[in-house]
Structures are given as structure tokens and as C-alpha cells.
Amino acid sequence: MTAISNNLNVIELAQKLVAIPSVNPVLTDDPAISGEHRMAEFLESFLDRRGFRVERHEGIRGRPNIVGIYGPQNPRKRLMIESHLDTQGIHGMSVPPFEGIIKDGRLYGRGACDMKGSMAAAMICLTPERLNELADAGVQLQFVGAIGEETGNLGAIELADMDIGADELVVLEPTDLHIVHAHKGAFWFEVEISGIAAHGSNPDKGISAIRGMSKVIELLYQQTNEVPLHNDLLGRATVNVGIIRGGNSINIVPERCVIEVDRRTLPGENSDDILSRIRASIVQLKQEGLILKGDVRRIKEGLPVETTSDSALIRRLGKACETQVDKVVCEGAAWYSDAGPFSRTCREVAVFGPGSIRQAHTADEYIELAELQKGADILDSFLILTAREAN
């Protein structure tokens, strides 16, 4: 097994990470397990002991992002490996969330799969030998721990806004050791429709905001289906109306209705164009007397990601995978990750790691130990290849 200087192997390191509570503070009220600061402190110390220049970026008080930098100040190539520090909550878990129990070839606990297993697989490769090989080849390695991925990619957005980036980026997530080199964007917005209240016995005296919103929802799905773009990896754009709020009483014509919408975008789509089409539809509904007025507000936009399969990063990661898997799989994904924000500051991007996304957030979250070790060995081979090709 690949080992670090204090003789921990990747399984033992993953156990240590699982034992550090780092539940996203939005997802718990318990201060004993809330927040990423404990994980940030562990990573900061770990990187410091290995000679990294470590920076803390704390845009949200008490929730530090960690950026470790190793290698030349003026490198030939900059490689970033990024991991989020937060996990989902622990409500309803059927296994102890922070004990790192090993049973039947699996490591159990919150974050074992998403994504402390992948984080351990990368950290275990940061040996003096490997780091010096990269530095001697003119490669600057950045190891980043970001907060708030589970509730909006907060840390990645903060760091990308600071122009922290690299030539190549590997975002650690459970991908079944598949190389994900494209995923959809996540564009969230809110639509509010106003009508005129009236007594429920005389609905013709008012304008129902809920009825008007039903027209808006129909148009949202219709407009998404009409998107001419299609991506061979990602398929078509999608839309989901996840929240709807409206009305005050069963016998009053509702004067207000609000929806929150999750629109998954493709490379090449423009969010301003999406909102413009919705606003045009609202104007049309107003002219037809179906609503009094309406508005659209942007909540959050996560950019789609696409790196070509023949890029240097994807080819090199694929070559590393060949040492451990029977078939190298390169694919796209419908889910979203920190790769989206960092695609603004990193030229080539891949998402990769051991573990299955199907096990993320589950009541008995676990990672297969054999796959965890394969992930560590692949990432180690990837770093060797990176140094070799940079020379």
C-alpha cells in the first residue's frame, strides 16, 4: 500500500478523516459536529508538515478554505487537486457516523464515500518523493480544501472569485473510478406571480396567481424541451420546479404565488437568455389578463463543465486508470460539483475518485476498501505521469 511518512496507509487515513465531524452547518444545529473548521485544521497541519505553503481564506467567519501550494513560484504547469471539507447531516443514519467502522471490506461513516475516502486517496500520495518529483519537473501542486459544497459550492465560488486556479484541476468526488470530464450546470431561479385576491365564491372577481403560475410552469417545461442544444455526453437540458408557495386560504383567490426552479444547463447555454424568455412569457400572460404582474430573480448559477476527452489531463488520468481497472470509463454527469466554479479559473477539469455516488448521503454510507486503495494507486500513478510528462 502507498504510505505516508508517519506510516498511515490510505485506509487508516480515511478512518481518521471520517472521525473528524465536519457536517455542513446548514444541515445541523449541534455545535459538536457542525462546521468544517476541524477538517480545515487537520488538512492545514497535514500540508504544513509536508512542506506546503499553506493559506487560509475565510470569507465566512469560522469556515476556512485551505489552499496548500508546493513547488516553484513560476512553474511550467500548475496542477490543483480539490476536495470539499463538508459532509451531509447525520439524521437517520443506521451506522455510527464518526467511528470509521470497518466491516466486510467496507469503511462506514458519514463522509466515507462523499468524500473523505477520495480525499484520503489523494492525501496519501503527498510523499516527499512524489512532491519532489513534481517540483523538480517544474510542476506546482495546489491542494485545496473547500467549504460548503453540499449547500451551494460556497468555498469553490469564493476561491474562484479570488482567481485561485490552475492549468489542470482534479476535483475529488465518488465517481466509481470513472473519469467525469463534463457535467451540466445548475442554474437556480425564482419566479413570482401576482394576481388579485377575491372571495372564493366569486373567482371571476379576482385574478388567481396560482392559475397564472400554472401557465408559467407549463411554459418553463416547453421552453426547456425546445432548447436546440444537445450534448453527446450530457444529453438534453432539464428543468425541475422544486418548490411552490401560494395562497392563504382555501376560500380566497390567491394573489401571490412563488416557485423555485432548478434548471440544468448545457455548455453553450446562456442564463441571461433563459431569463429573457421567461420574462417575455410573463409579459405575454399579463397582456392576456391571466396575471397582474410577475418577476424573475436569479438565485444561483453554477456553470456547466466540459473538457475534451483528448486533453492532456484526461489522457494522463486515463493512462493512470489503466493500471488498476479493466476498462477506463470517461463520461459526463447530470449532478453538479465544485468543478463548475473552478472551471472559470482552471483550463482543464476532471472529476474523479473512488466510491459510488449512490452511496453518498445514505443512512449506511460506506466505501469499499479495495476501491479506496485502487483510487490511491491511480492518483499516485497520475502524479508520477504528471512529473514525467512535464520534464
Side-chain angles (χ1 to χ4, degrees):
M1 288 185 177
T2 308
I4 56 178
S5 57
N6 60 3
N7 296 319
L8 281 178
N9 60 46
V10 67
I11 295 170
E12 292 166 339
L13 179 55
Q15 282 183 291
K16 278 187 171 292
L17 298 183
V18 169
I20 302 171
S22 59
V23 176
N24 188 296
V26 176
L27 305 175
T28 183
D29 295 324
D30 184 353
I33 64 172
S34 176
E36 302 94 341
H37 55 283
R38 302 173 195 84
M39 276 293 293
E41 289 165 2
F42 182 91
L43 179 60
E44 184 177 33
S45 175
F46 184 97
L47 295 175
D48 180 70
R49 292 197 307 271
R50 278 147 190 82
F52 281 76
R53 304 185 299 277
V54 183
E55 302 172 355
R56 272 188 172 228
H57 300 281
E58 196 167 331
I60 301 174
R61 187 175 180 181
R63 302 181 68 185
N65 299 293
I66 301 299
V67 178
I69 303 168
Y70 193 99
Q73 295 281 9
N74 298 302
R76 297 175 194 164
K77 174 179 288 189
R78 294 180 303 156
L79 169 65
M80 180 190 293
I81 298 175
E82 191 263 3
S83 165
H84 66 83
L85 302 175
D86 60 323
T87 70
Q88 277 286 321
I90 64 171
H91 179 72
M93 287 197 71
S94 59
V95 298
F98 307 120
E99 292 184 15
I101 291 173
I102 291 178
K103 182 180 179 182
D104 299 328
R106 295 169 173 173
L107 168 63
Y108 288 87
R110 180 55 83 221
C113 176
D114 184 18
M115 43 115 352
K116 294 178 178 181
S118 293
M119 188 176 180
M123 290 170 66
I124 208 75
C125 302
L126 303 180
T127 61
E129 178 186 8
R130 206 63 70 232
L131 293 172
N132 290 332
E133 285 175 355
L134 290 166
D136 291 345
V139 178
Q140 182 189 90
L141 177 64
Q142 300 176 39
F143 199 101
V144 175
I147 67 160
E149 189 271 349
E150 297 289 0
T151 55
N153 311 96
L154 301 180
I157 292 170
E158 179 186 333
L159 295 173
D161 285 346
M162 296 172 61
D163 203 31
I164 291 174
D167 300 305
E168 298 177 344
L169 165 66
V170 177
V171 172
L172 301 170
E173 289 286 358
T175 67
D176 292 304
L177 301 178
H178 297 176
I179 301 169
V180 175
H181 59 105
H183 66 56
K184 293 180 180 180
F187 178 37
W188 294 354
F189 58 89
E190 178 183 83
V191 182
E192 180 175 352
I193 294 299
S194 297
I196 298 175
H199 196 281
S201 63
N202 293 294
D204 56 316
K205 303 296 184 182
I207 298 177
S208 170
I210 289 178
R211 184 180 180 188
M213 186 64 82
S214 70
K215 298 291 185 181
V216 173
I217 292 172
E218 183 180 346
L219 287 165
L220 286 176
Y221 282 94
Q222 179 184 328
Q223 289 177 1
T224 304
N225 290 334
E226 291 173 352
V227 172
L229 292 174
H230 181 275
N231 188 288
D232 290 339
L233 285 170
L234 303 176
R236 301 198 65 83
T238 61
V239 66
N240 176 63
V241 178
I243 296 175
I244 184 167
R245 299 184 294 271
N248 295 309
S249 176
I250 193 171
N251 62 342
I252 299 176
V253 174
E255 63 178 345
R256 182 175 180 269
C257 187
V258 177
I259 58 172
E260 294 182 18
V261 184
D262 179 352
R263 175 71 153 74
R264 298 295 162 135
T265 57
L266 298 176
E269 284 198 277
N270 185 299
S271 61
D272 290 335
D273 292 342
I274 294 170
L275 295 186
S276 293
R277 294 188 69 192
I278 298 167
R279 291 191 177 103
S281 298
I282 288 173
V283 169
Q284 182 64 36
L285 291 172
K286 183 178 178 181
Q287 291 172 349
E288 294 173 3
L290 295 174
I291 64 173
L292 182 64
K293 60 181 179 179
D295 193 19
V296 183
R297 291 182 289 272
R298 186 187 300 263
I299 299 174
K300 186 197 83 166
E301 180 177 12
L303 297 175
V305 173
E306 185 171 31
T307 298
T308 60
S309 59
D310 62 351
S311 68
L313 171 63
I314 305 306
R315 285 190 290 104
R316 198 163 66 254
L317 191 51
K319 191 172 181 181
C321 286
E322 289 175 358
T323 64
Q324 298 295 325
V325 300
D326 295 331
K327 181 181 179 182
V328 177
V329 178
C330 294
E331 62 187 10
W335 41 255
Y336 197 70
S337 78
D338 281 347
F342 277 118
S343 68
R344 293 187 280 129
T345 59
C346 298
R347 190 178 70 248
E348 297 179 8
V349 179
V351 186
F352 177 82
S356 171
I357 196 68
R358 294 179 297 278
Q359 271 300 314
H361 307 181
T362 57
D364 65 339
E365 183 175 353
Y366 65 81
I367 190 169
E368 299 282 353
L369 298 183
E371 184 160 322
L372 176 60
Q373 182 61 53
K374 284 184 179 181
D377 291 339
I378 289 169
L379 289 168
D380 191 52
S381 296
F382 169 72
L383 294 180
I384 292 172
L385 291 169
T386 299
R388 187 176 298 165
E389 293 185 13
N391 273 315

